[in-house]
Each structure stands twice: as C-alpha cells, then as structure tokens.
Amino acid sequence: MKNSIRIPGFLILLLALSLPTLADTIRLKDGNVIRGQVIGFKDQQFTVLVGSGAQGRRSRTLIFVEDVESIEFDSATTQAAAGLANDEVQPSNTAPVYQTPTTTPAPIENSRVPARTNTQTTAAPPQTFFTIKVAVRADNANNGWTNSGLVVRKGQRLRISSTGRVSLGGGRFSTPSGIQGTADNDKLMRTEATGALIAVIGDDNDDFLLIGTRRDFVAQRDGVLFLGVNEGNLTDNTGTYDVVIEAEAGGSGPR
C-alpha cells in the first residue's frame, strides 16, 4: 500500500496562518485541513502549493487521493484549477460560446446486468472518488457557464448533485430541477425544464447534459466540465446553485 503524506497538526496551523485569504481548502480523512493552491493531479496524487509566497518562495506537497475527504476551490482560483485531474490534457479555459439550442441527448447507459455463469469470478476493487464543491451562477457571467475547475477524461465516472434556489427574473424562482411548462425557445435544452442545472464537457461542444438535482454518468470525451442554467435570457438572473461533484480518481472509467 502507498505511504501517504501526513502533515503534523502544528505545521498545518502554521501554514494556515501564513496563507493569503484566497486559497483552496483540502480536508483530509484524518481531520486535518490544508489551505493552499491545487495545481495538478497525476498518479492519484494532488500537487498542492502551500505557504505565503514571501520572496517568491512556496513549498509543494503531494497528497494521495485516498487520504482526501473533500476539496473546496476558492472562487477566485477556479480557473487556475482547470488543470486538475489531468496533467496531459491542456484544454482552453475560456467559457463555451452560447450555441444553438439542441434536443436532449440520449441518456448514457452506465451499467449492464451480467450474465449468470457457473465460473468463479474475483470481485472488482471498489472505485475511489474525490469531491469538488462549486457554486454555479445563474447570471450571464462568462457566457452563462461556471468553470468547475475539473478536467475529466473520457470514460471517467462522475456523480453530480445540486441544491439551492435562484431567481430567473420576473418574479420566477427555480431549483436545480427547473420549472416545467415555461415557454422559452432560446434555452439550450428546449425540451427540458427552464432553470434546470445543465452541464457540458469542453468549450467546443454542444452535447449538453441535463443534471437537475442529481446525475450519475460516464464522460464521453476529454475536457473541462462547465455547469450552467437552462434558460435563454440570463441577464436578469441572480443567485447560485450549490453543486457537489464526485469524480472517479484516475479517470479510468468503469471497471
């Protein structure tokens, strides 16, 4: 088994006092909390910059994903975290251009019932997931898309859940499941509820995904995961949805 890096409590306190206000928060399963900047993910290890950066000096530390309880990205550093989970893929950090509305893509089949056999099989090892929390804006900032800070790989399993309530203007309010029966010919997914939480992988893609309050799916391509609200006119919107992304470590897809 791999030896994970454990940081003594007094050192974590010293690092926390010396960090700037804006930082990513990494919560470990042993109760410790590290604040720094997540700059990479490879071989199931997070690379984190810690320290105040005085005189240009900041230290790096590696943390195994199996030791991480959750990661909260600071809103001011979400764009910088777009390299997370894939050092080899370098997608553009620009938000996708608002494109012509399309119909709902066919649902992705995540599993099949195996055939019964008399041969003895070995149980597959449990999948490991790490957690990212994102506040998804309902307004038209960044072309109406919020960068999750996560770069996914084709075949990687994702579980996304969301809560909250946003204003769609005109006295209308919506939860991540959206408002049924509202006419809106300009929304990206015309057949889905207005105000619902949607997603897209990559800034050059129009294969939009309905997330709603929860969805478990397998990524069909590489790219940055963007999240947004299914509405045509975002200019009078306010509020955010609170989203939790659970991503399979390593991006190896179904086993």
Side-chain angles (χ1 to χ4, degrees):
M1 192 170 94
K2 296 180 180 178
N3 293 325
S4 58
I5 298 176
R6 303 284 183 176
I7 302 178
F10 74 88
L11 180 55
I12 291 176
L13 178 60
L14 178 61
L15 292 174
L17 292 175
S18 63
L19 284 174
T21 303
L22 301 178
D24 302 328
T25 301
I26 302 99
R27 302 182 185 278
L28 304 182
K29 293 180 180 179
D30 61 6
N32 286 327
V33 177
I34 299 174
R35 289 182 174 84
Q37 182 183 0
V38 179
I39 62 170
F41 179 78
K42 190 174 183 181
D43 298 329
Q44 299 198 30
Q45 298 177 83
F46 292 99
T47 302
V48 183
L49 284 180
V50 295
S52 62
Q55 299 180 353
R57 296 176 181 175
R58 299 180 72 183
S59 61
R60 292 192 181 201
T61 185
L62 297 178
I63 303 174
F64 282 102
V65 67
E66 63 190 31
D67 294 326
V68 175
E69 179 67 29
S70 68
I71 299 177
E72 295 182 29
F73 289 109
D74 184 88
S75 58
T77 60
T78 302
Q79 293 292 336
L84 176 64
N86 182 6
D87 287 346
E88 297 176 1
V89 178
Q90 299 294 332
S92 169
N93 283 332
T94 57
V97 177
Y98 197 92
Q99 302 182 42
T100 305
T102 61
T103 56
T104 308
I108 300 171
E109 185 177 14
N110 292 328
S111 60
R112 294 182 181 276
V113 178
R116 291 174 175 260
T117 62
N118 294 326
T119 59
Q120 185 175 0
T121 58
T122 303
Q127 295 173 314
T128 303
F129 290 80
F130 61 91
T131 301
I132 297 174
K133 297 179 180 180
V134 183
V136 177
R137 298 178 58 156
D139 58 27
N140 63 345
N142 298 316
N143 289 329
W145 293 103
T146 296
N147 187 333
S148 70
L150 176 66
V151 177
V152 301
R153 279 192 166 184
K154 183 178 180 180
Q156 185 175 15
R157 185 178 295 277
L158 300 172
R159 298 190 299 231
I160 304 177
S161 58
S162 59
T163 57
R165 184 170 179 260
V166 300
S167 171
L168 301 181
R172 299 174 304 152
F173 295 89
S174 176
T175 64
S177 59
I179 305 172
Q180 296 290 344
T182 302
D184 185 351
N185 292 327
D186 295 324
K187 58 188 177 183
L188 293 177
M189 303 184 75
R190 289 184 178 178
T191 62
E192 302 299 342
T194 300
L197 179 69
I198 60 176
V200 69
I201 299 175
D203 60 2
D204 57 346
N205 185 20
D206 60 0
D207 241 348
F208 306 113
L209 303 170
L210 175 67
I211 302 300
T213 56
R214 182 173 178 85
R215 181 162 181 174
D216 183 336
F217 64 99
V218 175
Q220 298 300 295
R221 58 171 292 172
D222 298 339
V224 179
L225 176 68
F226 292 92
L227 299 164
V229 173
N230 189 37
E231 192 193 15
N233 179 22
L234 305 175
T235 58
D236 56 353
N237 290 3
T238 58
T240 59
Y241 288 144
D242 296 321
V243 178
V244 177
I245 304 168
E246 297 175 89
E248 182 185 10
S252 55
R255 292 186 175 90

